[in-house]
Amino acid sequence: MGIIIWLIVGGIVGWLASLIMKRDAQQGIILNIVVGIVGAMLAGWLFGGGINQAITLTTFLYSLLGAVILLLIVNLFTRGRAR
């Protein structure tokens, strides 16, 4: 059951991050899920939060912040600038 929750929350977090970073038209559902899950792991590593422990509003926001940071890094490599 935990993997299903990771996929759902990862998809929502990745989709919201792609809307914030204006990359939604370039990503599909699979990439949104990947960005959300990797963003949650990045947030867990950076802030000690993330959806690794429990899904609360705080960990959801940390995961969203991690996904936005991940998309910033991707933008730096693909476009040569953060936007």
Side-chain angles (χ1 to χ4, degrees):
M1 191 68 168
I3 190 75
I4 295 171
I5 293 172
W6 268 67
L7 291 174
I8 292 170
V9 173
I12 293 169
V13 167
W15 174 67
L16 288 173
S18 69
L19 287 177
I20 291 170
M21 297 301 296
K22 296 178 178 50
R23 291 184 61 101
D24 191 43
Q26 301 166 355
Q27 296 181 185
I29 185 75
I30 301 297
L31 195 55
N32 280 340
I33 292 171
V34 170
V35 166
I37 291 174
V38 173
M41 290 190 300
L42 180 65
W45 181 68
L46 289 175
F47 309 116
I51 59 174
N52 298 339
Q53 298 159 352
I55 300 174
T56 63
L57 181 61
T58 305
T59 58
F60 185 83
L61 293 175
Y62 278 149
S63 299
L64 181 61
L65 182 62
V68 168
I69 290 171
L70 177 66
L71 287 177
L72 272 172
I73 293 169
V74 169
N75 277 346
L76 282 173
F77 285 108
T78 59
R79 296 183 181 166
R81 62 185 169 101
R83 187 170 67 102

